[in-house]
Amino acid sequence: MSTLNENPKWILEGALLTSDVPLSVSTLRECLDKRFTKAQVLQMLAELQDDWQGRALELREVAEGLWRFQSVSAMREILRKLHPEEAPKYSRTVMETLAVIAYRQPVTRGDIEKIRGVTVNPNAIKTLLDRNWIEVIGRRETIGHPELFATTRQFLVDLGLNSLQDLPSIGPDEEPQVEAFELFEGQSQSKPASRLSDRQELKAIDDEHARLESLIQPLDFGDSDDEEKNQSE
C-alpha cells in the first residue's frame, strides 16, 4: 500500500483541503519537509489542478501566490440551498467606493470624491477597512498629506482573484482612452487604461459594483454591521 511519503501530492491535497486559509508555496514546502523545490511543488499543484478537473471543487491560485480549493461556479446555487443565509449586502456607496479604489489605486478621499461627485461617507471607508479589503499604504506628498488607499491581498483572496488584472474589465464602449482621463497628482502615466476618470464614468462603476457584489455574495463573512444598513448614498 502506498504511503503519504511516497505520494507527496496527497500531502499537498490534504493540507489544502483542510486549511481554513489559502496556503503559500513556502508553507506547502514545509508540509513536505522541504524535500522538494519550489518548482517541483508548483508542478505538483498543476497536476492536482488537472486531477480535479470536472469535479465540484477546483484548485485555484489566488492573491498572487496563495493556493486553495474552492467550489466551482456551478455549485453556487446548490451550496446556497445548504446555507440559505445570505452574505451581507453592501450599499451602493460602499461598493462604488471599493470600485474606485480597486480601479484607480492608490487614491485619497479627495480623489474618490472627485470621481463620484459626492462627499465620501466615512462609514463606507470604515466598512472596507474593517473587512480588510482596503488599507492605508502611505500619504500623498501634497498639502495636508492625505492618506492613500489601496486594496489588500485579502481583497484578492475573498474575491478569488489572482491579481488586480483579473478584475472584471470595463466594456470597450465604456472604457476611456488613456488620454481621455485626468491623472491625479502622484499617479504614473503608465497606469493601465482601464482606470476610471470622472463623473461621466460613474455608470461604468455602477455596472462593475454589481458584478463585484455578485462575486462577494457566496462568501461568508458573518453578520454584517448595523452601521452598513444605515449608510446613506
Side-chain angles (χ1 to χ4, degrees):
M1 179 180 293
S2 298
T3 65
L4 283 176
N5 285 333
E6 295 171 344
N7 292 275
K9 277 201 307 182
W10 292 0
I11 296 176
L12 296 181
E13 185 177 58
L16 288 162
L17 284 171
T18 56
S19 176
D20 293 331
V21 296
L23 301 177
S24 67
V25 172
S26 296
T27 300
L28 292 170
R29 286 190 67 217
E30 292 284 351
C31 295
L32 299 172
D33 297 323
K34 294 187 176 180
R35 291 181 288 121
F36 299 89
T37 65
K38 177 180 178 181
Q40 288 173 319
V41 171
L42 287 172
Q43 177 60 37
M44 285 185 274
L45 290 171
E47 293 174 5
L48 277 175
Q49 284 182 312
D50 291 337
D51 293 344
W52 283 78
Q53 282 290 333
R55 302 174 67 175
L57 297 179
E58 62 181 352
L59 179 59
R60 289 281 305 275
E61 182 184 5
V62 296
E64 299 180 329
L66 298 180
W67 293 79
R68 72 176 178 188
F69 275 100
Q70 63 185 39
S71 60
V72 297
S73 58
M75 286 290 298
R76 183 172 299 174
E77 292 303 321
I78 297 172
L79 293 176
R80 282 178 179 168
K81 295 176 183 178
L82 296 176
H83 307 284
E85 67 277 4
E86 292 188 2
K89 298 281 189 177
Y90 296 97
S91 71
R92 171 177 169 173
T93 299
V94 170
M95 296 307 297
E96 277 188 6
T97 302
L98 176 60
V100 171
I101 294 172
Y103 283 89
R104 284 298 300 269
Q105 60 187 298
V107 293
T108 65
R109 290 173 187 259
D111 297 337
I112 299 170
E113 291 174 352
K114 184 174 182 179
I115 292 172
R116 295 189 64 241
V118 295
T119 302
V120 172
N121 187 327
N123 286 336
I125 295 292
K126 182 178 185 303
T127 295
L128 296 173
L129 288 170
D130 290 345
R131 295 301 185 191
N132 195 24
W133 285 343
I134 66 170
E135 63 183 343
V136 177
I137 63 169
R139 292 180 178 274
R140 179 166 294 165
E141 293 299 323
T142 187
I143 298 176
H145 298 286
E147 295 176 327
L148 286 166
F149 296 101
T151 54
T152 63
R153 198 176 198 185
Q154 190 63 45
F155 167 77
L156 297 176
V157 170
D158 289 346
L159 269 70
L161 304 174
N162 186 28
S163 71
L164 291 173
Q165 300 304 314
D166 295 331
L167 281 170
S169 61
I170 301 172
D173 294 336
E174 299 169 328
E175 185 171 319
Q177 299 298 316
V178 175
E179 63 273 12
F181 62 81
E182 174 186 359
L183 291 172
F184 293 127
E185 179 186 351
Q187 287 189 309
S188 170
Q189 187 74 34
S190 62
K191 288 285 183 182
S194 60
R195 299 297 189 253
L196 304 180
S197 59
D198 53 23
R199 183 71 179 180
Q200 294 179 345
E201 301 305 325
L202 191 54
K203 181 181 181 300
I205 297 179
D206 289 341
D207 294 339
E208 289 311 312
H209 106 254
R211 285 201 279 182
L212 285 171
E213 189 170 59
S214 72
L215 290 173
I216 295 169
Q217 284 178 359
L219 301 170
D220 181 10
F221 296 108
D223 295 332
S224 60
D225 300 326
D226 290 338
E227 64 182 0
E228 294 176 23
K229 301 177 181 178
N230 297 324
Q231 291 172 357
S232 58
E233 293 301 315

